[in-house]
Amino acid sequence: MAGGGADADGEGPSAELEGEAAVACEALRLLRIEPEPSAVGPGAGRAGCAAPCSRNVLRKRRRWERVLAARRRKRRQERERRRARRAEGAGVAGRDGGRAPAALAKERLLEARVSGPRLCVDLGVADGMSQKETSRLASQIRRLYGANRQAEKPFWLCLTEFVVGSLIYEECFRMNDGFSNYLMDTTQESYLDLFPLDAIVYLTPDSENVLEDIDPNKVYVLGGLVDESIHKKLTLQRAQEQSLQTARLPIREYMVKTVNTRNYHSETLAINQVFDVLSTYYETRSWPTALKAGVSAGKGYVLPDAVK
C-alpha cells in the first residue's frame, strides 16, 4: 500500500502508519513477541519495527491494549476494596475500644487455636502436581488463610506433610508475602501423627456421608489438590485406606442443577471455596447461606430460589 497521498513535507498516510507501527512494536516488545518477517520493510531500521505492520501484528497490539485495560480495571477495583476494608476496619476499631483490626484478628485466631475447630490441608497428595498446579494450590492456600483471618469465628489451620524443599513449600514462600508470619501450624508430619483417628473427618466430594454440622472437637481435612489434578475418588480412597471418617458438603441436598451449554455439574471445589462454605456455615448455621458463599454458578449448582 505504498501509493501517493503524502503532502510536500512528507507527512501523510505513510507517516501515520509508521507511527502506528512504532506503538504496536512497543506493545509487542512488552509481550516479548517478535514482529513477523513479512512485516519488516525499508523503514524497519529506523523505527525498530515493521512499517507498515501486518494485520496480525496490529491484532496482537489491540489484544495487548485490552489486557492493559483489564489490568487497570482490576487495579481500580482492588483500590476500592482496600478503601472499603479500611472504612470497615475503622468502624470495628470504634466498636471495640479502639483496637486495630489486625490485633482483633490475631486475638480471634489464637482463641481458635485453643478452642476452635481445626482444618488441615493434606499436602501428602500434592506430589504429582505440575508447577502450574502447585502455584495455583499455593494461591488457594493464601486465599484460604486470608478468609480465615477475617472470619468472626475462625478455624485453626494446619498444613500437614509440608516438607521443606518440596515444590509446594517453595511456591508458598515465593508467592505469598509474609507466609512465615501466618498464624497457623505447618508441619512435615501427617495428621495421622497429630490427632486421634476418631477425631478426623476427611472432606471429599465422593463420600456417601453428608456433613450435617461442624463440631469444634473435630479435625477436618481437605486434600491439597487443584481441580485439574483431582482424580475420581482419590481422596476418598486415601481416607478409606487410613480408616478415617469421611463426609461431603450437602450440595445436592440444598442446591439444584442448572441447565448450561456444557451440561456441566461438579461438586468438586477448590480448597478456599470449601473453606468459604465451612466458615460461613460455622458463623451463620445456615447451609443455604454457606453454599451460596462458596459454590459458584460455574459449578452447575444454584439454590432453588435462584431458578424461580
Side-chain angles (χ1 to χ4, degrees):
M1 300 291 292
D7 61 21
D9 294 324
E11 299 292 327
S14 62
E16 206 172 296
L17 279 171
E18 197 165 317
E20 190 175 8
V23 174
C25 287
E26 174 61 16
L28 294 177
R29 184 184 67 77
L30 294 172
L31 282 168
R32 294 184 173 86
I33 299 175
E34 296 295 329
E36 296 186 352
S38 61
V40 177
R46 296 190 307 272
C49 180
C53 287
S54 70
R55 290 181 180 177
N56 192 41
V57 170
L58 294 174
R59 186 165 58 248
K60 289 174 182 175
R61 168 195 166 190
R62 288 193 291 271
R63 185 178 64 196
W64 175 242
E65 289 172 347
R66 289 196 295 271
V67 169
L68 293 177
R71 287 183 180 177
R72 286 193 293 270
R73 284 196 300 273
K74 287 185 71 174
R75 283 196 293 267
R76 274 199 307 272
Q77 291 168 354
E78 184 57 34
R79 284 196 298 269
E80 289 169 2
R81 282 195 290 269
R82 283 199 297 267
R83 282 197 292 267
R85 284 197 295 268
R86 284 197 295 268
E88 182 180 348
V92 170
R95 292 194 302 272
D96 290 279
R99 285 183 295 169
L104 291 170
K106 182 177 180 179
E107 181 180 304
R108 288 194 295 264
L109 286 171
L110 294 176
E111 287 176 2
R113 186 176 194 174
V114 175
S115 58
R118 278 165 163 68
L119 184 74
C120 292
V121 179
D122 174 18
L123 298 176
V125 294
D127 293 342
M129 294 196 301
S130 67
Q131 171 87 39
K132 177 184 175 183
E133 292 167 337
T134 305
S135 296
R136 286 189 60 194
L137 178 59
S139 177
Q140 291 173 11
I141 289 171
R142 180 184 69 242
R143 289 197 287 270
L144 190 160
Y145 177 79
N148 190 52
R149 192 172 182 277
Q150 294 176 10
E152 289 295 324
K153 296 175 66 176
F155 287 62
W156 182 251
L157 304 180
C158 181
L159 304 184
T160 59
E161 296 190 52
F162 188 60
V163 179
V164 175
S166 65
L167 186 55
I168 185 60
Y169 180 94
E170 300 294 340
E171 286 299 286
C172 280
F173 279 93
R174 182 182 71 83
M175 297 184 63
N176 304 338
D177 291 339
F179 181 80
S180 59
N181 297 320
Y182 281 11
L183 277 175
M184 65 180 182
D185 288 330
T186 59
T187 176
Q188 299 192 64
E189 294 182 278
S190 166
Y191 45 85
L192 297 174
D193 302 319
L194 301 173
F195 309 105
L197 288 184
D198 59 2
I200 300 173
V201 180
Y202 207 118
L203 298 178
T204 168
D206 301 307
S207 176
E208 295 180 356
N209 307 314
V210 179
L211 182 66
E212 297 180 351
D213 200 3
I214 293 176
D215 183 348
N217 298 314
K218 294 290 187 182
V219 179
Y220 297 94
V221 179
L222 303 179
L225 294 167
V226 296
D227 291 355
E228 300 123 89
S229 304
I230 293 179
H231 302 290
K232 191 68 175 173
K233 298 188 177 178
L234 184 138
T235 50
L236 177 63
Q237 290 170 358
R238 181 173 172 83
Q240 288 174 336
E241 288 169 1
Q242 297 170 343
S243 302
L244 298 176
Q245 303 172 64
T246 64
R248 61 173 173 82
L249 297 177
I251 293 176
R252 65 188 81 150
E253 283 69 27
Y254 288 91
M255 307 186 86
V256 295
K257 292 181 178 180
T258 57
V259 178
N260 56 68
T261 54
R262 296 183 298 159
N263 194 30
Y264 175 76
H265 305 92
S266 175
E267 296 179 47
T268 300
L269 308 179
I271 59 169
N272 57 295
Q273 293 173 323
V274 176
F275 176 77
D276 288 343
V277 175
L278 297 175
S279 177
T280 305
Y281 175 78
Y282 192 47
E283 290 184 13
T284 65
R285 296 292 168 175
S286 166
W287 280 119
T289 302
L291 292 166
K292 184 177 181 180
V295 182
S296 65
K299 292 294 180 179
Y301 285 92
V302 295
L303 294 173
D305 57 8
V307 295
K308 292 178 182 178

